């Protein structure tokens, strides 16, 4: 009789250890969620790099140090605090995080999207090592499974509320987050922009973050000047541009033929129809745009570097908002999706099309990044074709 009881004891011990390990892993997930959420939020705020960079490193250490918290929970005098924190993490990892993840997976396709098609071009195959360049993090670009040189050219047909009928079929090229810094190389950007330059478009919209060094100003005009548009070319700045001579970047863009909107608005005529074009470089450049004097009866098209301004756009009756900044997270885990997204709303607006309150927002993944690392999150160029809502049967 002793052998069966011994087996039962071993099975119970094994189950106990298994459940303990599962609890620790789930608590670790919740712990990582808490600290990553704080990192996402702070990176969406206009805080100095001198704070953000060490805070990101601190968060990495804290996340990896979760086992230490469980060890502290076994001893006084911090036992009660550590245990409370552990169980909060366990609840988040067991319930909240799975619910959020499933909710994201089950989100319905935005009704604004009538058609979507993507062509992927692998510029490593075209250029080989010449695509890498000489940037500070060039060795990262060569890591296995890195998609940094595989560019998605995404064509979206959108139906937009209150769109002027004359804008039916209007073509918009959205380009953001070029992050010129040496890697990818100039040859890479030349190849991408040469492909775009031969394709007709009505508007070219640049949504910010052009430089990550103080030595690549001479890339702006020769590269971005290749693009043409029948109805105009407009640009705003992003948060990275604030640290690399914002006014000089504005001048380079202007010399390349772009109208730099800054934090403001102007009337423009597109296909013979008056409209309001808005630039939103906030929260990094202040004050933000004031639309109180803008004609209320004209369609409003807004370039916003960050999608965090979506609710501002809704309040200000913006019809179409185009954004970049968040890069789709750059690293996307299977099923879970993005993790680090520099936004006060976390992963809510990491990429794609969003709609609400009469506003449609398009968030591109950007063409590059300061760190040339992308996993399951290719660089992206977006080409929009607009359709009035009432023309859809």
């Amino acid at each position: 009789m002793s052998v069966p009881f011994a087996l039962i004891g071993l099975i119970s011990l094994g189950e106990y250890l298994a459940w303990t390990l599962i609890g620790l892993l789930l608590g670790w997930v919740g712990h990582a969620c808490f600290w990553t959420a704080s990192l996402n939020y702070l990176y969406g705020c206009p805080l100095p790099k001198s704070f953000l960079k060490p805070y990101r490193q601190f968060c990495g250490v804290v996340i990896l140090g979760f086992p230490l918290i469980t060890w502290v929970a076994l001893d006084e005098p911090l036992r009660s605090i550590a245990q409370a924190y552990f169980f909060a993490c366990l609840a988040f990892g067991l319930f909240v995080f799975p619910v959020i993840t499933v909710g994201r997976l089950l989100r319905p396709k935005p009704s604004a999207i009538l058609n979507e098609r993507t062509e992927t071009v692998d510029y490593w195959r075209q250029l080989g090592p010449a695509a890498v360049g000489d940037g500070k993090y060039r060795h990262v670009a060569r890591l296995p499974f890195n998609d940094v040189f595989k560019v998605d050219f995404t064509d979206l047909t959108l139906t937009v509320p209150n769109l002027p009928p004359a804008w039916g079929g209007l073509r918009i090229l959205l380009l953001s987050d070029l992050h010129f810094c040496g890697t990818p190389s100039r040859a890479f950007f030349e190849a991408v922009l040469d492909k775009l330059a031969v394709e007709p478009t009505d508007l070219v919209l640049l949504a910010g973050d052009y430089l990550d060094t103080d030595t690549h100003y001479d890339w702006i005009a020769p590269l971005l000047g290749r693009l043409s548009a029948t109805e105009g070319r407009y640009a705003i700045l992003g948060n990275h541009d604030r640290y690399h001579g914002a006014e000089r970047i504005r001048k380079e863009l202007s010399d390349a033929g772009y109208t730099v909107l800054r934090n403001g608005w102007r009337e423009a005529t597109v296909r013979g129809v008056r409209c309001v074009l808005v630039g939103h470089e906030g929260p990094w450049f202040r004050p933000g745009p004031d639309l109180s004097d803008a004609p209320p009866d004209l369609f409003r098209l807004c370039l916003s570097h960050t999608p965090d301004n979506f609710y501002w756009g809704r309040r200000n009756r913006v019809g179409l908002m185009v954004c970049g900044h968040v890069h789709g997270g750059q690293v996307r885990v299977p099923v879970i999706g993005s993790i680090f997204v520099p936004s006060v709303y976390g992963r809510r607006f990491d990429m794609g099309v969003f709609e609400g309150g009469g506003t449609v927002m398009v968030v591109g993944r950007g063409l590059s990044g300061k760190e040339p690392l992308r996993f399951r999150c290719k660089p992206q160029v977006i080409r929009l074709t607009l359709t009035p809502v009432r023309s859809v049967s």
Side-chain angles (χ1 to χ4, degrees), residues 203-282:
L203 291 172
V204 174
L205 305 180
L206 305 181
D209 277 0
Y210 307 97
L211 292 185
D212 265 310
T213 74
D214 295 325
T215 58
H216 287 82
Y217 297 102
D218 59 347
W219 285 24
I220 295 176
L223 288 172
L224 297 176
R226 300 169 186 235
L227 302 176
S228 60
T230 59
E231 301 292 338
R233 296 179 296 168
Y234 299 89
I236 58 170
L237 267 55
N239 57 306
H240 284 243
D241 302 317
R242 185 173 66 157
Y243 301 102
H244 300 289
E247 292 308 313
R248 181 169 177 182
I249 295 173
R250 296 186 201 278
K251 182 179 184 306
E252 294 289 342
L253 290 168
S254 180
D255 290 346
Y258 289 84
T259 299
V260 183
L261 295 171
R262 297 177 177 260
N263 269 327
W265 65 272
R266 65 170 55 206
E267 274 197 48
T269 300
V270 175
R271 285 193 174 179
V273 178
R274 293 167 56 230
C275 65
V276 173
L277 294 179
V278 184
H280 200 325
E281 299 175 337

Side-chain angles (χ1 to χ4, degrees), residues 350-366:
D350 59 356
M351 66 178 192
V353 177
F354 305 88
E355 57 190 356
T359 298
V360 175
M361 179 172 72
V362 180
V363 184
R365 297 195 298 269

